[in-house]
Amino acid sequence: MVIYVCDDYGKMSEVAANQFAAHLILKPNSVVGLATGSTPEGMYSELIEKYKKGEISFKNVVSFNLDEYIDLPKENENSYYTFMHEKLFDHVDIKAENINIPDGNVKDFEKYVKEYESKIESVGGIDLQILGIGKNAHIGFNEPDKVFLKKTSVVDLTQSTIDANSRFFDSIDEVPKKAISMGTGSIFKAKNILLLASGKSKAEAINNMINGEIDPQIPASILQLHSNVVLVIDKEAAELLDEDTYIRV
Ligand code: GLP
């Protein structure tokens, strides 16, 4: 695991966008796994700038989003569908047919999650997976549990995640209680993982993920076993780490 620690959110976004861009330059037809949440927003803005300057293109990129709320219409301002279009897709040259975001409004979820998983496999798997991290160390919507979630599934959100995500909704009652999420197993299959974190509220999750036991109660801890993980975090998120374990940029 390579850990880059940046001064602040702006620098974190810039370093993460450089990492992302390097992958697209090396492999323009990359399959990317994308994340939502406040953390990657700055990175997406930086990527849009790089696209506008002609430094990168999404023309041959295929994307798969990690997760989506269940029973929230995709036009809703809080759906991850809306988020991804507003924050990235509407501003770059990605082809609509190459965008995959779990659909939280299908009838047969059992069939749908299997198809989502197979579709990732049919394009050769994910080259670069972007991740944020929840305060309870969840990745995607893989919440702390007795076992690691292997495949894309329908999941119940924990109260801590519902509370954290209620900041985007008018009231906590409007926050969906279920989501579709790629499993920890599906995430782990990605060839490269780029995880971003910013702020003091993520410091404990980051420390547990790196230095804790590998335990499904700390979903991100499984990444200790992955051979290509890059962390780009700011100094507040890194405050519980030993200085000699990271690269200061
Ligand atoms: C949500 C998303 C995760 C994200 C996490 C942290 O629950 N499903 O993919 O990493 O929140 O979000 P934020 O970056 O806003 O702190």
Side-chain angles (χ1 to χ4, degrees):
M1 202 178 281
V2 182
I3 309 169
Y4 293 106
V5 175
C6 310
D7 265 347
D8 52 25
Y9 180 79
K11 183 73 180 171
M12 178 205 77
S13 304
E14 195 186 310
V15 172
N18 286 341
Q19 291 274 339
F20 196 125
H23 280 272
L24 296 196
I25 291 164
L26 286 167
K27 188 169 186 267
N29 62 344
S30 286
V31 179
V32 295
L34 298 178
T36 52
S38 312
T39 312
E41 270 190 53
M43 179 189 73
Y44 292 144
S45 302
E46 296 275 343
L47 288 172
I48 294 168
E49 289 311 307
K50 287 182 188 298
Y51 163 71
K52 285 185 181 158
K53 287 189 208 150
E55 293 172 9
I56 54 169
S57 166
F58 290 77
K59 197 171 64 191
N60 296 311
V61 167
V62 177
S63 73
F64 287 89
N65 261 78
L66 275 172
D67 47 14
E68 178 61 285
Y69 292 116
I70 283 185
D71 281 347
L72 195 65
K74 67 179 185 183
E75 301 74 27
N76 186 289
E77 56 177 351
N78 286 310
S79 76
Y80 289 166
Y81 177 94
T82 301
F83 177 100
M84 285 312 303
H85 283 80
E86 284 180 353
K87 307 293 180 200
L88 181 67
F89 297 149
D90 289 351
H91 312 282
V92 296
D93 59 346
I94 192 163
K95 293 180 185 140
E97 64 267 30
N98 287 346
I99 296 172
N100 298 280
I101 302 173
D103 186 343
N105 293 284
V106 291
K107 285 207 177 91
D108 187 345
F109 282 109
E110 212 175 308
K111 181 164 166 257
Y112 181 76
V113 292
K114 282 189 189 135
E115 284 168 1
Y116 199 76
E117 193 80 26
S118 313
K119 198 162 180 192
I120 297 175
E121 277 163 29
S122 73
V123 294
I126 290 174
D127 293 304
L128 174 65
Q129 176 66 57
I130 305 301
L131 293 176
I133 188 166
K135 288 179 192 159
N136 59 6
H138 74 241
I139 46 177
F141 269 132
N142 288 262
E143 297 281 31
D145 207 341
K146 291 197 193 78
V147 289
F148 288 107
L149 192 64
K150 289 197 183 103
K151 295 197 166 161
T152 304
S153 310
V154 171
V155 295
D156 293 315
L157 305 187
T158 60
Q159 195 56 44
S160 126
T161 299
I162 293 169
D163 292 346
N165 291 0
S166 67
R167 69 189 192 277
F168 301 111
F169 292 80
D170 289 339
S171 83
I172 197 158
D173 300 330
E174 287 178 28
V175 186
K177 311 287 180 289
K178 282 179 182 287
I180 295 185
S181 179
M182 278 168 57
T184 322
S186 340
I187 294 169
F188 197 83
K189 281 190 205 156
K191 297 169 190 96
N192 298 280
I193 292 178
L194 176 59
L195 186 144
L196 278 59
S198 166
K200 278 184 197 300
S201 67
K202 300 293 173 70
E204 198 178 337
I206 288 291
N207 186 40
N208 288 341
M209 162 192 163
I210 297 170
N211 297 315
E213 293 291 316
I214 297 168
D215 180 342
Q217 292 295 339
I218 308 164
S221 64
I222 193 82
L223 300 180
Q224 290 177 31
L225 299 177
H226 195 286
S227 46
N228 285 309
V229 179
V230 173
L231 253 65
V232 181
I233 62 181
D234 67 10
K235 62 176 193 283
E236 291 190 341
E239 71 179 10
L240 299 175
L241 304 182
D242 283 342
E243 283 183 24
D244 57 2
T245 60
Y246 58 73
I247 303 164
R248 197 72 168 78
V249 288

